[in-house]
Amino acid sequence: MNETQQKDFSFLKEAIRQRASTFNHHLSTYLPDKEPKHLYDASRHLPLSGGKRLRPVITMLATEALTGTYEQCMPFAAALEIMHNFTLVHDDIMDNADLRRGSPTVHSDYGLPTALLAGDCLFAISFQATLRLKVPPTEFKTLQEQFITCIIDICEGQQEDMDFEERKIVSEEEYMQMIKKKTAVLFALSSRSAGIITHSSKEHIKALDTYGLSLGLAFQIWDDYLDMSSTAETLGKDIGNDIRNGKKTLIAVHALKNAQGQDKEILDALFGNRNASDLDIQKVHGVFERAGSISYAKDSAIQYNEKAKEALAVLPKSEAKEILTLLADYAIQRTH
């Protein structure tokens, strides 16, 4: 990363931090501290534990890019973030995870039954947040329908991701559809909703939808790339977990399709082997490199980054548009 890029990304991070700080004050008004205390403490635990707030910040920036201000979008931005946290509470239960954002997960701190209820509570509060929107009935109905569809898509994507671990072969088309549902649709709604809330043109709404969807895909594929191109110290995680669990990333999908001869035999024997040694993990990683799968994922993420930026061309020039453009670049240049 050169000096100009470092300067741009410093500007980006500060712009996100400022909006995230404003959003955090707004978010707390939706998360009551009341009885039964154990339930509401559990419900507040994850949403108030931090996070980059990328999704609500995207909604704020997209609204700014259209109108110059973001106040009118805040209830929907809150709904998106609360809904996102509901999915994380349940994801952590499914993964039996102990930590999230450096803190104990909800079920670790409050127990499994209360964690389930806390997730359900956040689900309901996310819809409650949308009631504060000041939009005409037609737009409100559209936002509600798209919010519901987004939640259903995320649930489908999560199930497909788990199902894929039990399958030997998954096509690239199936993989892309899965990450679209699991990750990208929420980014798309985060940006597209700004156009609906501000009564913008169909052209602008479509552009923001394309931006968000492409950004979400770039983020997820770049995560796949980082998992196989960075060290465990850089990522703060065991880079062998995905290999041992047979997780179908774009890299794995590409390698399983293209590996030949001895490399194919290595994948057949070791990919998805929960008892694989560190040496076995290195062998599989070598196959990924020789098949060109790691570079393939990198190139795919860059293509979606370009598509996201191209979509913004129809929006008027503004600082918010510049920040959205920088965010697309950051998606495929970050190291964690």
Side-chain angles (χ1 to χ4, degrees):
M1 190 182 298
N2 59 41
E3 187 175 339
T4 300
Q5 287 174 321
Q6 289 179 337
K7 184 177 179 180
D8 286 344
F9 288 154
S10 294
F11 166 70
L12 169 68
K13 290 176 182 179
E14 178 60 20
I16 291 175
R17 188 200 64 77
Q18 289 177 359
R19 287 163 181 81
S21 178
T22 299
F23 174 76
N24 284 337
H25 289 296
H26 185 79
L27 177 66
S28 63
T29 67
Y30 293 88
L31 299 167
D33 183 9
K34 62 180 186 178
E35 298 296 333
K37 184 172 175 56
H38 195 61
L39 171 62
Y40 285 100
D41 283 352
S43 299
R44 290 156 55 89
H45 177 83
L46 185 57
L48 299 185
S49 69
K52 295 183 179 67
R53 309 300 193 201
L54 272 184
R55 294 154 191 83
V57 166
I58 288 170
T59 307
M60 294 166 72
L61 286 167
T63 308
E64 281 184 74
L66 295 169
T67 67
T69 62
Y70 52 68
E71 285 77 8
Q72 67 196 106
C73 79
M74 293 299 274
F76 201 74
L80 290 166
E81 184 67 7
I82 294 167
M83 184 266 283
H84 174 56
N85 278 267
F86 133 69
T87 66
L88 296 181
V89 171
H90 285 187
D91 282 356
D92 287 340
I93 292 171
M94 287 183 280
D95 294 341
N96 197 27
D98 295 325
L99 293 175
R100 167 77 68 175
R101 298 171 183 160
S103 299
T105 51
V106 178
H107 68 274
S108 295
D109 253 10
Y110 296 90
L112 180 57
T114 297
L116 288 169
L117 287 174
D120 294 344
C121 195
L122 290 172
F123 177 84
I125 292 171
S126 69
F127 280 92
Q128 189 177 55
T130 66
L131 297 177
R132 295 194 196 180
L133 277 168
K134 295 180 179 179
V135 295
T138 300
E139 279 80 2
F140 183 78
K141 181 181 179 183
T142 297
L143 288 166
Q144 285 281 293
E145 289 174 341
Q146 295 190 11
F147 193 64
I148 291 166
T149 299
C150 183
I151 294 171
I152 293 171
D153 281 344
I154 292 170
C155 292
E156 290 178 356
Q158 175 67 17
Q159 183 64 52
E160 288 170 357
D161 193 20
M162 294 188 297
D163 289 347
F164 288 172
E165 290 188 15
E166 305 303 319
R167 289 172 50 184
K168 193 67 179 177
I169 298 296
V170 171
S171 71
E172 184 173 333
E173 182 180 5
E174 288 176 312
Y175 169 82
M176 294 303 300
Q177 183 66 13
M178 181 273 289
I179 65 168
K180 175 183 175 182
K181 290 179 179 179
K182 186 177 176 181
T183 301
V185 292
L186 186 51
F187 279 86
L189 182 57
S190 297
S191 53
R192 181 177 71 244
S193 60
I196 299 170
I197 291 167
T198 58
H199 322 297
S200 296
S201 67
K202 291 182 179 179
E203 181 185 31
H204 284 170
I205 293 172
K206 183 178 179 181
L208 288 170
D209 179 63
T210 300
Y211 169 81
L213 193 67
S214 301
L215 178 66
L217 293 172
F219 255 98
Q220 184 58 61
I221 296 171
W222 192 257
D223 279 346
D224 290 354
Y225 168 70
L226 287 178
D227 285 350
M228 291 301 150
S229 64
S230 303
T231 65
E233 290 75 17
T234 301
L235 288 173
K237 62 183 286 191
D238 177 3
I239 61 174
N241 277 347
D242 286 351
I243 292 173
R244 291 188 179 96
N245 293 331
K247 188 171 182 62
K248 303 305 187 295
T249 63
L250 182 58
I251 292 168
V253 167
H254 182 270
L256 287 165
K257 178 182 178 182
N258 292 282
Q260 302 291 327
Q262 187 177 9
D263 280 348
K264 186 176 187 304
E265 292 176 5
I266 291 173
L267 291 182
D268 288 342
L270 300 178
F271 184 73
N273 182 345
R274 298 184 189 277
N275 297 316
S277 67
D278 289 344
L279 179 59
D280 292 336
I281 297 302
Q282 292 176 20
K283 290 179 181 178
V284 173
H285 187 274
V287 174
F288 288 168
E289 287 187 324
R290 289 189 294 276
S293 303
I294 296 175
S295 59
Y296 180 78
K298 181 180 181 179
D299 291 343
S300 295
I302 292 171
Q303 288 174 13
Y304 282 111
N305 151 261
E306 292 298 328
K307 189 172 182 180
K309 292 192 295 184
E310 289 170 3
L312 295 175
V314 301
L315 300 184
K317 184 178 180 180
S318 68
E319 183 180 271
K321 177 180 175 179
E322 179 186 354
I323 297 168
L324 289 170
T325 302
L326 286 173
L327 181 57
D329 282 335
Y330 179 71
I332 52 102
Q333 295 190 42
R334 59 199 166 89
T335 57
H336 60 277

